[in-house]
Amino acid sequence: MARPPIPADSETWSLLRAHAARLADRPLARLMADDPARGRDFGLRMGSLHACFARQRYDRAAREALFALAAPLPAAFRRLFDGETVNVSEGRPALHTALRSDLGQGAVAAAARAEALAARERMAGLVAGLEQSGITDIVNIGIGGSDLGPRLAVQSLAEFDRGRFRTHFLFNADASGVQRLLPHLDPERTAVLLVSKSFGTQETLLNGSILKDWLAGRGRLYAVTAAVDKAVAFGVPGSQVLPMWDWVGGRFSLWSPVGLCIALALGMANFDELLAGAAEMDRHVLESPPGRNLAAWHALTMAWNRDVLGLGTHAVMPYDERLDLLPDYLQQLVMESLGKTVRSDDTASPVPTVPVLWGATGTSSQHSFFQALHQGSDLVPADFIGVVRPAHGYPGSHDVVLANLLAQAEALANGSPGDAPQRHYDGGRPNTMLLLDELTPRSLGSLLALYEHSVYALSVVWGINAFDQWGVELGKRLASGLLPVLSGRGSADDIADPVTRALVTEILARR
């Protein structure tokens, strides 16, 4: 049985708020000066990833109290890996870990692992077949989790791209992307991958229909879906349909056949390395006690900032242009998973849940929103992500990037007195540093799995379901009702909302 979350008025939360009040007037720079070993002791390494939490606004006593929230996490992680029904509202397990590791125990986890391995073998066969064909271009059509994970991996790991295929992504209902892409492709040398768990996603089917008509029986059509019959009815040969399962959510699915385009771009060996990096993090999270558990520490730090300090946003700043899509990917992972105010037991959450997550790459972002981070009214906790060894041969450039990474994190935390009020930096702005030894398929896999497990840990602390997303359904239903009117098959008079009715009338009058 799942352990209920700690109530907002519990002794634990009260103690945490007391610690925050005690530390309120103590600058971060003072915390570090008073505890010289903090930089070492508030750090943790897992494989090629080093994390430093020394610039968070808690001391050792507050951290010890904070980790009382971790009491349910070891059992919760075991439930996740073993395939218990952690997605309560849909009555499902969430077994994305079975896609990359065999750490789950029991029949449910074993069956999922067997299915994952069988699908991987089929995927390897399709990759080999395409490598031996005359296909030169791959178009991946998906949205959300069927797009962001694969697109992030292909873009971030471009140095590992074998150059066998050119890889393209269509991920929006706006046909501008299709219009720009098709003139550069030859239909006889193009393979199209349709990625949709339900094979009912409007954007994917819209773009898929355009590409299917454009292929006109030439090229190749593939699908990754849990609705094999729908894909076959659409025109995808059954032998070219790879499975998804209801026990893998879209935003947790890049480790599955959803990653087919990753394997085509990088090769199966590098795809396996991506999975191996995630499996390494899986083992660490499952087997490490909370106090030495990177995902637990990351999650509890976010809970401290959100619920104890009352900070409503969280920034992610990768100091590596290859990770340009990481904030977008994490925005979906974190906010779609945790963007809920109703808990799994249908009661209202007594504490705030998800922060608004956003960010961009450094050093360019220093010249846009960093002014607000340093001297704006709101404190914004941040994750800084750096790469120690670059993949290019310009060490001087990389030294500049690392110097700025370290300097910005220090400046936000420590601040600086100014010779005039406008030149004063308050500091006290908390941040976590995550350092990868280098950016490889394995290290990227570990990093993404860290965030997955941090999200799950937060869901346990808050008592919410990280694996459903009912909030996205209302807009979809309303759009389905408006489409006939915009397409000339209905009347604007039938639209109930007066503002929408007026806007539709304006649109139709201007066409």
Side-chain angles (χ1 to χ4, degrees):
M1 289 292 293
R3 177 173 173 168
I6 299 173
D9 58 354
S10 73
E11 183 178 344
T12 299
W13 284 112
S14 297
L15 178 59
L16 290 175
R17 294 187 184 102
H19 277 295
R22 174 178 61 82
L23 297 169
D25 296 326
R26 192 177 303 179
L28 263 173
R30 171 76 180 277
L31 287 178
M32 290 180 275
D34 289 346
D35 186 356
R38 183 182 174 96
R40 179 196 66 210
D41 294 348
F42 279 52
L44 184 63
R45 173 166 286 276
M46 199 298 297
S48 62
L49 174 61
H50 174 77
C52 177
F53 298 93
R55 290 191 172 119
Q56 294 295 336
R57 294 176 62 180
Y58 46 66
D59 61 7
R60 292 178 189 264
R63 178 186 176 276
E64 182 178 353
L66 178 62
F67 269 77
L69 294 174
L73 293 183
F77 279 123
R78 175 47 70 189
R79 290 195 301 274
L80 176 77
F81 279 77
D82 290 353
E84 293 191 27
T85 304
V86 294
N87 182 352
V88 178
S89 71
E90 297 178 295
R92 299 170 180 168
L95 273 165
H96 45 281
T97 55
L99 300 170
R100 64 225 188 184
S101 58
D102 58 358
L103 298 170
Q105 298 174 356
V108 174
R113 180 64 176 161
E115 289 187 61
L117 290 173
R120 185 213 163 281
E121 288 303 311
R122 284 196 58 213
M123 185 170 77
L126 294 182
V127 170
L130 280 164
E131 288 174 339
Q132 294 162 13
S133 74
I135 296 295
T136 58
D137 289 84
I138 307 295
V139 181
N140 190 88
I141 301 178
I143 195 166
S146 298
D147 162 72
L148 273 170
R151 186 153 52 101
L152 167 67
V154 170
Q155 176 176 306
S156 300
L157 300 171
E159 284 82 8
F160 295 86
D161 194 314
R162 301 164 305 151
R164 171 61 183 84
F165 304 104
R166 295 188 302 169
T167 309
H168 317 274
F169 294 88
L170 292 174
F171 49 86
N172 198 301
D174 188 338
S176 298
V178 174
Q179 181 170 291
R180 292 170 183 164
L181 176 61
L182 291 186
H184 303 284
L185 301 180
D186 177 353
E188 295 190 4
R189 302 174 69 84
T190 300
V192 175
L193 317 181
L194 301 172
V195 185
S196 171
K197 185 174 180 179
S198 66
F199 216 80
T201 308
Q202 184 183 50
E203 296 89 344
T204 302
L205 294 183
L206 188 64
N207 285 323
S209 295
I210 294 172
L211 267 291
K212 177 188 171 187
D213 292 344
W214 174 78
L215 286 175
R218 298 164 293 179
R220 299 193 186 189
L221 198 60
Y222 295 80
V224 182
T225 183
V228 176
D229 55 340
K230 291 183 180 179
V232 172
F234 183 85
V236 183
S239 61
Q240 293 173 194
V241 180
L242 289 171
M244 292 179 70
W245 306 276
D246 63 7
W247 40 265
V248 178
R251 56 193 175 275
F252 300 89
S253 68
L254 75 99
W255 326 99
S256 76
V258 168
L260 174 59
C261 67
I262 304 174
L264 288 166
L266 310 183
M268 284 301 300
N270 282 320
F271 182 74
D272 288 344
E273 277 290 290
L274 184 73
L275 270 58
E280 189 176 6
M281 182 61 70
D282 290 343
R283 183 173 294 280
H284 164 79
V285 167
L286 186 62
E287 298 180 354
S288 300
R292 301 301 297 169
N293 189 311
L294 187 49
W297 202 337
H298 187 271
L300 294 175
T301 298
M302 289 189 71
W304 169 268
N305 287 326
R306 184 71 179 105
D307 297 317
V308 183
L309 302 185
L311 306 179
T313 72
H314 186 96
V316 175
M317 271 89 72
Y319 270 64
D320 193 304
E321 283 297 319
R322 294 172 293 176
L323 293 171
D324 181 55
L325 274 174
L326 182 62
D328 289 14
Y329 173 84
L330 294 178
Q331 198 169 63
Q332 186 202 17
L333 175 66
V334 174
M335 295 178 71
E336 192 166 85
S337 298
L338 301 175
K340 295 138 190 182
T341 57
V342 177
R343 300 190 295 184
S344 296
D345 62 2
D346 289 334
T347 62
S349 173
V351 295
T353 56
V354 71
V356 174
L357 190 141
W358 58 284
T361 54
T363 60
S364 56
S365 57
Q366 294 174 192
H367 299 269
S368 56
F369 57 76
F370 266 62
Q371 169 63 39
L373 296 186
H374 284 290
Q375 293 183 311
S377 303
D378 296 320
L379 296 186
V380 179
D383 285 358
F384 283 92
I385 301 172
V387 178
V388 176
R389 298 191 293 271
H392 56 70
Y394 303 96
S397 296
H398 194 61
D399 288 346
V400 169
V401 170
L402 289 177
N404 277 273
L405 165 73
L406 297 171
Q408 292 294 333
E410 178 183 331
L412 286 167
N414 295 351
S416 177
D419 55 7
Q422 293 183 32
R423 295 187 178 92
H424 177 76
Y425 297 82
D426 285 333
R429 302 183 183 235
N431 58 81
T432 294
M433 182 68 68
L434 299 173
L435 292 174
L436 301 175
D437 292 346
E438 56 187 340
L439 184 55
T440 65
R442 183 176 286 260
S443 69
L444 181 64
S446 291
L447 180 67
L448 300 186
L450 163 64
Y451 276 99
E452 286 183 349
H453 291 308
S454 175
V455 162
Y456 177 62
L458 276 167
S459 77
V460 173
V461 169
W462 288 330
I464 58 179
N465 183 356
F467 303 109
D468 60 13
Q469 56 276 335
W470 301 111
V472 304
E473 299 300 323
L474 177 58
K476 289 182 178 180
R477 292 201 305 270
L478 292 174
S480 296
L482 294 171
L483 185 58
V485 180
L486 292 167
S487 302
R489 295 179 281 110
S491 171
D493 294 337
D494 297 330
I495 298 174
D497 181 80
V499 177
T500 303
R501 184 167 61 247
L503 291 171
V504 168
T505 300
E506 180 69 18
I507 291 170
L508 294 176
R510 294 291 176 178
R511 283 186 161 176

